[in-house]
Coordinates of all heavy atoms in Angstrom, one line a residue:
L1 N 102.4 142.6 26.0 CA 103.4 141.7 26.6 C 104.1 142.4 27.7 O 104.6 143.5 27.5 CB 104.4 141.2 25.5 CG 104.0 139.9 24.7 CD1 105.0 139.6 23.7 CD2 103.8 138.8 25.6
S2 N 104.3 141.7 28.8 CA 105.0 142.3 29.9 C 106.5 142.3 29.6 O 107.3 143.1 30.1 CB 104.7 141.6 31.2 OG 105.3 140.3 31.2
G3 N 107.0 141.3 28.8 CA 108.4 141.2 28.6 C 109.1 140.4 29.7 O 110.3 140.2 29.7
K4 N 108.4 140.1 30.7 CA 109.0 139.3 31.9 C 109.2 137.9 31.5 O 108.3 137.2 30.9 CB 108.0 139.4 33.1 CG 108.6 140.2 34.2 CD 107.6 140.0 35.4 CE 108.1 140.9 36.6 NZ 107.1 140.7 37.7
T5 N 110.4 137.4 31.8 CA 110.6 135.9 31.6 C 111.0 135.2 32.9 O 111.5 135.9 33.8 CB 111.7 135.7 30.5 OG1 112.9 136.3 31.0 CG2 111.3 136.4 29.2
V6 N 110.9 134.0 32.9 CA 111.2 133.1 34.1 C 112.1 132.0 33.6 O 111.8 131.3 32.6 CB 109.9 132.5 34.7 CG1 110.3 131.7 35.9 CG2 109.0 133.6 35.2
T7 N 113.2 131.8 34.2 CA 114.1 130.8 33.9 C 113.5 129.4 34.4 O 113.0 129.3 35.5 CB 115.5 131.0 34.6 OG1 116.1 132.2 34.1 CG2 116.4 129.8 34.4
V8 N 113.6 128.4 33.5 CA 112.9 127.1 33.8 C 114.0 126.0 33.8 O 114.8 125.9 32.9 CB 111.9 126.8 32.7 CG1 111.2 125.5 33.0 CG2 110.9 128.0 32.6
T9 N 113.9 125.1 34.8 CA 114.8 124.0 34.9 C 114.1 122.8 34.3 O 112.9 122.8 34.2 CB 115.1 123.6 36.4 OG1 113.9 123.4 37.1 CG2 115.8 124.8 37.1
P10 N 114.9 121.8 33.9 CA 114.3 120.6 33.3 C 113.2 119.9 34.2 O 112.2 119.4 33.8 CB 115.4 119.7 33.1 CG 116.6 120.6 32.8 CD 116.3 121.7 33.8
S11 N 113.4 120.0 35.5 CA 112.5 119.3 36.4 C 111.2 120.1 36.5 O 110.1 119.5 36.6 CB 113.1 119.1 37.8 OG 113.6 120.3 38.3
E12 N 111.3 121.4 36.4 CA 110.0 122.2 36.4 C 109.3 122.0 35.1 O 108.1 121.8 35.0 CB 110.4 123.7 36.5 CG 109.2 124.7 36.5 CD 108.2 124.4 37.5 OE1 108.5 124.0 38.6 OE2 107.0 124.8 37.3
L13 N 110.1 122.0 34.0 CA 109.6 121.7 32.6 C 108.8 120.5 32.6 O 107.7 120.4 32.0 CB 110.7 121.8 31.6 CG 110.4 121.4 30.2 CD1 109.5 122.5 29.6 CD2 111.7 121.4 29.4
A14 N 109.3 119.4 33.2 CA 108.7 118.1 33.2 C 107.3 118.0 33.8 O 106.6 117.1 33.5 CB 109.6 117.1 33.8
K15 N 107.0 118.9 34.7 CA 105.8 119.0 35.4 C 104.6 119.3 34.5 O 103.4 119.1 34.7 CB 105.8 119.9 36.6 CG 106.7 119.5 37.7 CD 106.7 120.7 38.7 CE 107.8 120.4 39.8 NZ 108.1 121.6 40.6
H16 N 105.0 120.0 33.4 CA 104.0 120.5 32.4 C 103.9 119.7 31.2 O 104.4 120.0 30.1 CB 104.2 122.0 32.1 CG 104.4 122.8 33.3 ND1 103.3 123.5 33.9 CD2 105.5 123.1 34.1 CE1 103.8 124.1 35.0 NE2 105.1 123.9 35.1
N17 N 103.3 118.5 31.3 CA 103.4 117.5 30.3 C 102.0 116.9 29.9 O 101.9 115.8 29.5 CB 104.3 116.3 30.6 CG 103.8 115.5 31.8 OD1 102.9 116.0 32.5 ND2 104.4 114.4 32.0
T18 N 101.0 117.7 30.1 CA 99.6 117.3 29.8 C 99.0 118.2 28.7 O 99.5 119.3 28.5 CB 98.7 117.3 31.0 OG1 98.5 118.6 31.4 CG2 99.3 116.4 32.1
V19 N 98.0 117.7 28.1 CA 97.3 118.5 27.0 C 96.8 119.9 27.5 O 96.8 120.9 26.8 CB 96.1 117.8 26.4 CG1 95.3 118.6 25.4 CG2 96.6 116.5 25.7
S20 N 96.3 119.9 28.8 CA 95.8 121.1 29.4 C 96.9 122.0 30.1 O 96.5 123.0 30.5 CB 94.7 120.8 30.3 OG 95.1 119.9 31.3
D21 N 98.1 121.5 30.1 CA 99.2 122.3 30.7 C 100.5 121.8 30.1 O 101.2 120.9 30.6 CB 99.2 122.1 32.2 CG 100.4 122.8 32.9 OD1 101.0 123.6 32.3 OD2 100.7 122.4 34.0
C22 N 100.8 122.3 28.9 CA 101.9 121.8 28.2 C 103.0 122.8 27.9 O 102.8 123.8 27.2 CB 101.4 121.2 26.9 SG 102.6 120.4 25.9
W23 N 104.2 122.5 28.4 CA 105.4 123.4 28.2 C 106.4 122.5 27.3 O 106.4 121.3 27.4 CB 106.1 123.8 29.5 CG 105.3 124.7 30.3 CD1 104.0 125.1 30.2 CD2 105.8 125.4 31.5 NE1 103.7 125.9 31.2 CE2 104.7 126.2 32.0 CE3 107.0 125.5 32.1 CZ2 104.9 127.0 33.1 CZ3 107.2 126.3 33.3 CH2 106.1 127.0 33.7
M24 N 107.2 123.2 26.6 CA 108.1 122.6 25.7 C 109.4 123.5 25.5 O 109.2 124.7 25.3 CB 107.4 122.4 24.3 CG 108.1 121.4 23.4 SD 106.9 121.1 22.0 CE 105.6 120.1 22.8
A25 N 110.5 122.9 25.4 CA 111.7 123.7 25.2 C 112.3 123.4 23.8 O 112.3 122.2 23.3 CB 112.8 123.3 26.2
I26 N 112.6 124.4 23.1 CA 113.2 124.3 21.7 C 114.4 125.3 21.7 O 114.3 126.5 21.9 CB 112.2 124.6 20.6 CG1 111.0 123.8 20.7 CG2 112.9 124.4 19.3 CD1 109.9 124.2 19.7
R27 N 115.6 124.7 21.4 CA 116.9 125.5 21.4 C 117.0 126.4 22.6 O 117.3 127.6 22.4 CB 117.0 126.2 20.1 CG 117.1 125.3 18.9 CD 117.3 125.9 17.5 NE 117.0 124.9 16.6 CZ 116.1 125.1 15.6 NH1 115.6 126.2 15.4 NH2 115.8 124.1 14.8
G28 N 116.8 125.8 23.8 CA 117.0 126.5 25.0 C 116.0 127.5 25.4 O 116.2 128.3 26.4
R29 N 114.9 127.6 24.6 CA 113.8 128.5 25.0 C 112.5 127.7 25.3 O 112.2 126.8 24.6 CB 113.4 129.4 23.7 CG 114.7 130.2 23.3 CD 114.4 130.9 21.9 NE 113.4 131.8 22.0 CZ 113.5 133.1 22.4 NH1 114.7 133.6 22.7 NH2 112.5 133.9 22.4
V30 N 111.9 128.0 26.5 CA 110.8 127.3 27.0 C 109.5 128.0 26.6 O 109.3 129.2 26.8 CB 110.8 127.1 28.5 CG1 109.6 126.3 29.0 CG2 112.1 126.3 28.9
Y31 N 108.5 127.3 26.0 CA 107.2 127.8 25.6 C 106.0 127.1 26.3 O 106.1 125.8 26.5 CB 107.0 127.7 24.1 CG 108.0 128.5 23.3 CD1 109.2 128.0 22.9 CD2 107.8 129.9 23.1 CE1 110.2 128.7 22.2 CE2 108.7 130.6 22.4 CZ 109.9 130.1 21.9 OH 110.8 130.8 21.3
N32 N 105.0 127.8 26.6 CA 103.7 127.2 27.0 C 102.9 127.0 25.7 O 102.4 128.0 25.2 CB 103.0 128.2 28.0 CG 101.7 127.6 28.4 OD1 101.2 126.7 27.8 ND2 101.2 128.1 29.5
V33 N 102.9 125.8 25.2 CA 102.2 125.5 24.0 C 100.8 125.0 24.1 O 100.2 124.6 23.2 CB 103.0 124.5 23.1 CG1 104.4 125.1 22.8 CG2 103.2 123.2 23.8
T34 N 100.2 125.2 25.3 CA 98.9 124.7 25.6 C 97.9 125.2 24.6 O 97.1 124.5 24.1 CB 98.5 125.1 27.0 OG1 99.5 124.7 28.0 CG2 97.2 124.4 27.4
H35 N 97.9 126.5 24.4 CA 97.0 127.2 23.5 C 97.3 127.1 22.0 O 96.4 127.3 21.2 CB 96.7 128.6 24.0 CG 96.2 128.7 25.4 ND1 95.0 128.3 25.8 CD2 96.8 129.1 26.5 CE1 94.8 128.4 27.1 NE2 96.0 129.0 27.5
Y36 N 98.5 126.7 21.8 CA 98.9 126.5 20.4 C 98.5 125.1 19.9 O 98.3 124.9 18.7 CB 100.5 126.6 20.3 CG 101.0 126.3 18.8 CD1 100.6 127.1 17.8 CD2 101.7 125.1 18.6 CE1 101.0 126.8 16.5 CE2 102.2 124.9 17.3 CZ 101.8 125.7 16.3 OH 102.2 125.4 15.0
M37 N 98.3 124.2 20.8 CA 98.0 122.8 20.6 C 97.0 122.6 19.4 O 97.2 121.8 18.5 CB 97.4 122.2 21.9 CG 97.3 120.7 21.9 SD 98.9 119.9 22.3 CE 99.3 120.6 23.9
E38 N 95.8 123.3 19.5 CA 94.8 123.0 18.5 C 95.1 123.6 17.1 O 94.4 123.4 16.2 CB 93.4 123.6 19.0 CG 93.4 125.1 19.2 CD 92.0 125.5 19.6 OE1 91.1 125.3 18.9 OE2 91.9 126.2 20.7
Y39 N 96.2 124.5 17.1 CA 96.5 125.1 15.8 C 97.7 124.4 15.1 O 98.1 124.8 14.0 CB 96.8 126.6 16.0 CG 95.7 127.3 16.6 CD1 95.7 127.7 17.9 CD2 94.6 127.7 15.9 CE1 94.7 128.4 18.5 CE2 93.5 128.4 16.4 CZ 93.6 128.7 17.7 OH 92.5 129.4 18.3
H40 N 98.3 123.5 15.8 CA 99.5 122.8 15.3 C 99.1 122.0 14.0 O 98.3 121.1 14.1 CB 100.1 121.9 16.3 CG 101.4 121.1 15.8 ND1 101.5 119.8 16.0 CD2 102.5 121.6 15.3 CE1 102.7 119.5 15.4 NE2 103.3 120.5 14.9
P41 N 99.8 122.3 12.9 CA 99.3 121.7 11.6 C 99.7 120.2 11.7 O 99.0 119.4 10.9 CB 100.2 122.3 10.6 CG 100.6 123.7 11.2 CD 100.7 123.4 12.7
G42 N 100.6 119.7 12.5 CA 100.9 118.3 12.6 C 100.0 117.5 13.6 O 100.2 116.3 13.7
G43 N 99.1 118.3 14.2 CA 98.2 117.6 15.2 C 98.7 117.5 16.6 O 99.9 117.7 16.9
L44 N 97.7 117.2 17.5 CA 97.9 117.2 18.9 C 98.9 116.1 19.3 O 99.8 116.3 20.1 CB 96.5 117.0 19.6 CG 96.4 117.0 21.1 CD1 95.1 117.6 21.5 CD2 96.6 115.6 21.7
D45 N 98.7 114.9 18.8 CA 99.5 113.7 19.2 C 101.0 113.9 18.9 O 101.9 113.6 19.6 CB 99.0 112.4 18.5 CG 97.7 112.0 19.1 OD1 97.3 112.5 20.2 OD2 97.1 111.1 18.5
E46 N 101.2 114.6 17.7 CA 102.6 114.9 17.3 C 103.2 115.9 18.3 O 104.3 115.7 18.8 CB 102.7 115.3 15.9 CG 102.4 114.2 14.9 CD 103.5 113.1 14.9 OE1 104.7 113.5 15.1 OE2 103.2 112.0 14.6
L47 N 102.5 116.9 18.5 CA 103.1 118.0 19.4 C 103.3 117.4 20.8 O 104.3 117.8 21.4 CB 102.1 119.2 19.4 CG 102.6 120.4 20.1 CD1 103.9 121.0 19.5 CD2 101.5 121.5 20.1
M48 N 102.4 116.6 21.3 CA 102.5 116.0 22.6 C 103.8 115.1 22.8 O 104.2 114.9 23.9 CB 101.3 115.3 23.0 CG 100.1 116.2 23.4 SD 100.4 117.3 24.8 CE 100.6 116.0 26.1
K49 N 104.4 114.7 21.7 CA 105.6 113.9 21.8 C 106.7 114.7 22.5 O 107.6 114.1 23.1 CB 106.1 113.4 20.5 CG 105.2 112.3 19.8 CD 105.8 112.0 18.4 CE 104.9 110.9 17.8 NZ 105.3 110.6 16.4
G50 N 106.6 116.0 22.4 CA 107.7 116.9 23.0 C 107.2 117.5 24.3 O 107.9 118.3 24.9
A51 N 106.1 117.1 24.9 CA 105.5 117.7 26.1 C 106.4 117.5 27.3 O 106.9 116.5 27.6 CB 104.2 117.1 26.4
G52 N 106.7 118.6 28.0 CA 107.4 118.6 29.2 C 108.9 118.3 29.1 O 109.6 118.0 30.0
K53 N 109.4 118.4 27.8 CA 110.8 118.2 27.6 C 111.5 119.1 26.6 O 110.9 119.9 26.0 CB 111.1 116.7 27.3 CG 110.3 116.2 26.2 CD 110.4 114.6 26.2 CE 109.7 114.0 25.0 NZ 109.6 112.6 25.0
D54 N 112.8 118.8 26.4 CA 113.5 119.5 25.3 C 113.2 118.8 24.0 O 113.6 117.7 23.8 CB 115.0 119.4 25.6 CG 115.8 120.2 24.5 OD1 115.3 120.5 23.5 OD2 117.0 120.4 24.8
A55 N 112.3 119.5 23.2 CA 111.8 118.9 22.0 C 112.6 119.3 20.8 O 112.2 119.1 19.6 CB 110.4 119.2 21.8
T56 N 113.8 119.8 21.0 CA 114.6 120.3 19.9 C 114.9 119.3 18.8 O 114.7 119.5 17.6 CB 116.0 120.8 20.4 OG1 115.7 121.8 21.4 CG2 116.7 121.5 19.2
E57 N 115.2 118.1 19.2 CA 115.5 117.0 18.2 C 114.3 116.6 17.4 O 114.4 116.5 16.2 CB 116.2 115.8 18.8 CG 117.7 116.0 19.0 CD 118.4 114.8 19.5 OE1 118.0 113.6 19.1 OE2 119.4 114.9 20.3
L58 N 113.2 116.4 18.1 CA 111.9 116.0 17.5 C 111.5 117.1 16.5 O 111.1 116.9 15.3 CB 110.8 115.9 18.5 CG 110.8 114.6 19.4 CD1 109.8 114.7 20.5 CD2 110.5 113.4 18.5
F59 N 111.6 118.3 17.0 CA 111.2 119.5 16.1 C 112.1 119.6 14.9 O 111.5 119.7 13.8 CB 111.4 120.8 17.0 CG 111.0 122.1 16.3 CD1 109.8 122.6 16.4 CD2 111.9 122.7 15.4 CE1 109.4 123.7 15.8 CE2 111.5 123.9 14.8 CZ 110.3 124.4 15.0
D60 N 113.4 119.4 15.0 CA 114.3 119.5 13.9 C 114.2 118.4 12.9 O 114.4 118.5 11.7 CB 115.7 119.6 14.4 CG 116.1 121.0 14.9 OD1 115.2 121.9 14.8 OD2 117.1 121.2 15.5
Q61 N 113.8 117.2 13.4 CA 113.6 116.0 12.5 C 112.5 116.3 11.6 O 112.5 115.8 10.4 CB 113.3 114.8 13.4 CG 114.5 114.1 14.0 CD 114.1 113.1 15.1 OE1 112.9 112.7 15.2 NE2 115.0 112.7 15.9
V62 N 111.5 117.0 12.0 CA 110.3 117.2 11.2 C 110.3 118.5 10.4 O 110.0 118.5 9.2 CB 109.0 117.2 12.0 CG1 107.7 117.2 11.2 CG2 109.0 115.9 12.9
H63 N 110.7 119.6 11.1 CA 110.6 120.9 10.4 C 111.5 121.9 11.0 O 111.1 122.8 11.7 CB 109.2 121.4 10.4 CG 108.4 121.2 11.8 ND1 109.0 121.4 13.0 CD2 107.1 120.8 12.0 CE1 108.1 121.2 13.9 NE2 107.0 120.8 13.4
K64 N 112.8 121.7 10.8 CA 113.7 122.6 11.5 C 113.8 124.1 10.9 O 114.3 125.0 11.5 CB 115.2 122.0 11.5 CG 116.0 122.0 10.3 CD 117.4 121.5 10.7 CE 118.4 121.5 9.6 NZ 119.6 120.8 10.0
W65 N 113.1 124.2 9.7 CA 113.0 125.5 9.1 C 111.8 126.3 9.7 O 111.7 127.5 9.5 CB 112.7 125.4 7.6 CG 111.5 124.6 7.4 CD1 110.2 125.0 7.3 CD2 111.4 123.2 7.1 NE1 109.4 124.0 7.0 CE2 110.1 122.8 6.9 CE3 112.4 122.1 7.1 CZ2 109.7 121.5 6.7 CZ3 112.0 120.8 6.9 CH2 110.6 120.5 6.7
V66 N 110.9 125.7 10.5 CA 109.8 126.5 11.0 C 110.2 127.5 12.0 O 111.0 127.2 12.9 CB 108.8 125.5 11.7 CG1 107.7 126.3 12.5 CG2 108.1 124.7 10.6
N67 N 109.8 128.7 11.8 CA 110.1 129.9 12.6 C 109.3 129.9 13.9 O 108.4 130.7 14.1 CB 110.0 131.2 11.8 CG 110.6 132.4 12.5 OD1 110.9 132.3 13.7 ND2 110.8 133.4 11.8
F68 N 109.7 129.0 14.9 CA 109.0 128.9 16.1 C 109.1 130.2 17.0 O 108.2 130.5 17.8 CB 109.4 127.7 16.9 CG 110.8 127.7 17.4 CD1 111.1 128.2 18.7 CD2 111.8 127.3 16.5 CE1 112.5 128.2 19.1 CE2 113.1 127.3 17.0 CZ 113.5 127.8 18.2
T69 N 110.2 130.9 16.9 CA 110.4 132.1 17.8 C 109.4 133.2 17.5 O 108.8 133.8 18.4 CB 111.8 132.7 17.7 OG1 112.1 132.9 16.3 CG2 112.8 131.8 18.3
S70 N 109.0 133.3 16.2 CA 108.0 134.3 15.9 C 106.6 133.8 16.1 O 105.7 134.4 16.7 CB 108.2 134.9 14.5 OG 107.5 134.1 13.5
M71 N 106.4 132.4 15.8 CA 105.1 131.8 15.9 C 104.6 131.8 17.4 O 103.5 132.0 17.7 CB 105.1 130.4 15.4 CG 105.2 130.3 13.8 SD 105.1 128.6 13.3 CE 103.5 128.1 13.9
L72 N 105.6 131.5 18.2 CA 105.3 131.3 19.7 C 105.7 132.4 20.6 O 105.8 132.3 21.8 CB 106.0 130.0 20.1 CG 105.6 128.7 19.4 CD1 106.4 127.5 19.9 CD2 104.1 128.4 19.6
A73 N 105.9 133.6 20.0 CA 106.4 134.7 20.7 C 105.6 135.0 22.0 O 106.1 135.3 23.1 CB 106.5 136.0 19.9
K74 N 104.3 134.9 21.9 CA 103.4 135.2 23.0 C 103.3 134.1 24.0 O 102.8 134.2 25.1 CB 102.0 135.5 22.5 CG 101.9 136.9 21.8 CD 100.5 137.2 21.3 CE 100.4 138.6 20.7 NZ 99.1 138.9 20.1
C75 N 103.9 132.9 23.6 CA 103.9 131.7 24.5 C 105.2 131.6 25.2 O 105.4 130.6 26.0 CB 103.6 130.5 23.7 SG 102.1 130.6 22.7
Y76 N 106.1 132.5 25.0 CA 107.5 132.3 25.6 C 107.4 132.5 27.1 O 106.9 133.5 27.6 CB 108.4 133.4 25.0 CG 109.9 133.2 25.4 CD1 110.5 132.0 25.2 CD2 110.5 134.3 26.0 CE1 111.9 131.9 25.6 CE2 111.9 134.2 26.4 CZ 112.6 132.9 26.2 OH 113.8 132.8 26.6
I77 N 108.1 131.6 27.8 CA 108.2 131.6 29.3 C 109.6 132.2 29.7 O 109.7 133.1 30.4 CB 107.9 130.2 29.9 CG1 106.5 129.8 29.6 CG2 108.1 130.3 31.4 CD1 106.2 128.4 30.1
G78 N 110.6 131.5 29.1 CA 112.0 131.9 29.5 C 113.0 130.9 29.1 O 112.6 129.9 28.5
P79 N 114.2 131.2 29.4 CA 115.3 130.2 29.0 C 115.3 129.0 29.9 O 115.0 129.0 31.0 CB 116.6 131.0 29.3 CG 116.2 132.1 30.3 CD 114.8 132.4 30.1
L80 N 115.8 127.9 29.3 CA 116.0 126.6 29.9 C 117.3 126.6 30.6 O 118.3 126.9 29.9 CB 115.8 125.5 29.0 CG 115.9 124.0 29.5 CD1 114.8 123.7 30.4 CD2 116.0 123.0 28.4
K81 N 117.4 126.3 31.9 CA 118.7 126.2 32.6 C 118.8 124.9 33.3 O 117.8 124.4 33.9 CB 118.8 127.3 33.6 CG 119.0 128.7 33.0 CD 120.5 128.9 32.6 CE 120.7 130.0 31.6 NZ 120.3 131.3 32.0
P82 N 120.0 124.3 33.3 CA 120.2 123.0 34.0 C 119.8 123.1 35.5 O 120.1 124.2 36.1 CB 121.7 122.7 33.9 CG 122.1 123.5 32.7 CD 121.2 124.7 32.6
D83 N 119.2 122.1 36.1 CA 118.9 122.0 37.5 C 120.1 122.4 38.4 O 120.0 123.0 39.4 CB 118.4 120.7 37.9 CG 117.0 120.4 37.4 OD1 116.1 121.2 37.7 OD2 116.8 119.5 36.7
T84 N 121.3 121.9 37.9 CA 122.5 122.0 38.7 C 123.0 123.4 39.0 O 123.7 123.6 40.0 CB 123.7 121.2 38.1 OG1 123.7 121.5 36.7 CG2 123.4 119.7 38.2
I85 N 122.6 124.3 38.2 CA 123.2 125.7 38.4 C 122.1 126.6 39.0 O 122.2 127.8 39.1 CB 123.8 126.4 37.2 CG1 122.7 126.5 36.1 CG2 125.0 125.6 36.7 CD1 123.2 127.5 35.0
E86 N 121.0 125.9 39.5 CA 120.0 126.7 40.2 C 120.6 127.3 41.5 O 121.3 126.6 42.2 CB 118.9 125.7 40.6 CG 117.5 126.3 40.6 CD 116.4 125.3 40.8 OE1 116.7 124.1 41.1 OE2 115.2 125.7 40.8
Q87 N 120.3 128.6 41.7 CA 120.8 129.2 43.0 C 120.1 128.7 44.2 O 118.9 128.6 44.2 CB 120.7 130.7 42.9 CG 121.5 131.4 41.7 CD 123.0 131.2 41.9 OE1 123.5 131.5 43.0 NE2 123.7 130.7 41.0
K88 N 120.9 128.5 45.2 CA 120.3 128.0 46.5 C 119.9 129.2 47.4 O 120.6 130.1 47.4 CB 121.2 127.0 47.2 CG 121.3 125.7 46.5 CD 120.3 124.7 47.0 CE 120.0 123.6 46.0 NZ 121.1 122.7 45.9
Ligands
LIG101 C1 103.8 120.3 11.1 C2 104.9 124.1 13.9 C3 106.4 121.1 17.3 C4 105.5 117.3 14.5 C5 104.0 121.6 11.5 C6 103.9 122.8 10.7 C7 104.2 123.9 11.5 C8 104.5 123.3 12.8 C9 104.2 125.3 11.1 C10 103.5 122.8 9.2 C11 104.8 122.7 8.5 C12 104.6 122.7 7.0 O1 103.6 122.4 6.5 O2 105.6 122.9 6.3 C13 105.3 123.6 15.1 C14 105.7 124.4 16.2 C15 106.2 123.6 17.2 C16 106.0 122.2 16.7 C17 105.7 125.9 16.3 C18 106.7 123.9 18.5 C19 105.9 124.0 19.6 C20 106.4 119.8 16.8 C21 106.8 118.6 17.6 C22 106.6 117.6 16.8 C23 106.0 118.1 15.6 C24 107.5 118.6 19.0 C25 106.9 116.2 17.1 C26 107.4 115.3 16.3 C27 105.0 117.8 13.3 C28 104.5 116.9 12.2 C29 103.9 117.8 11.3 C30 104.2 119.2 11.8 C31 104.5 115.4 12.2 C32 103.3 117.4 10.0 C33 104.3 117.4 8.9 C34 103.7 117.1 7.6 O3 102.6 116.5 7.6 O4 104.2 117.5 6.5 N1 104.4 121.9 12.8 N2 105.5 122.3 15.4 N3 105.9 119.4 15.6 N4 104.7 119.1 13.0 FE1 105.1 120.7 14.2

């Protein structure tokens, strides 16, 4: 792992909302879950409900005890930041 992270805005996050390019934010952390898709125990359709957005509520409704930070460590992109505080 390089350890490099990239800050992601909601509008950037929203661009990655397909099965072949899927990003998702959970508790302020953005993940590329494209390659996790086929391993998700709840299936592809369920995981895709959170595609390209902040999926924290969906995630917590189903399994808030799941340790996503360790499971998705290699899929971590970086922190989610509001569009409004993007530096010009
Ligand atoms: C099941 C992980 C996102 C819906 C599971 C399970 C794990 C998991 C480990 C099995 C839990 C168990 O058997 O106790 C993750 C990770 C996610 C994620 C790491 C983050 C990317 C989501 C999202 C949804 C979702 C966004 C949308 C609602 C479900 C459902 C099940 C499930 C419906 C099946 C529950 C059952 O049949 O008992 N997930 N999940 N998951 N997940 Fe996710």
Side-chain angles (χ1 to χ4, degrees):
L1 274 176
S2 71
K4 248 188 182 179
T5 61
V6 177
T7 297
V8 180
T9 60
S11 53
E12 177 63 27
L13 176 62
K15 294 175 188 168
H16 306 271
N17 65 344
T18 65
V19 172
S20 58
D21 176 19
C22 185
W23 293 11
M24 195 172 288
I26 304 169
R27 294 186 200 127
R29 300 169 66 84
V30 179
Y31 294 92
N32 181 342
V33 297
T34 312
H35 300 291
Y36 175 66
M37 197 78 61
E38 64 176 302
Y39 302 105
H40 180 231
L44 185 150
D45 289 347
E46 287 294 327
L47 188 57
M48 282 303 291
K49 288 179 181 172
K53 55 190 180 190
D54 183 346
T56 306
E57 276 185 36
L58 283 172
F59 183 92
D60 285 352
Q61 278 165 17
V62 185
H63 42 43
K64 75 174 180 191
W65 57 86
V66 167
N67 191 343
F68 64 95
T69 52
S70 89
M71 290 182 62
L72 301 175
K74 289 182 175 173
C75 305
Y76 185 57
I77 296 173
L80 181 66
K81 287 279 160 64
D83 288 302
T84 46
I85 61 166
E86 216 175 1
Q87 295 296 312
K88 288 271 156 69

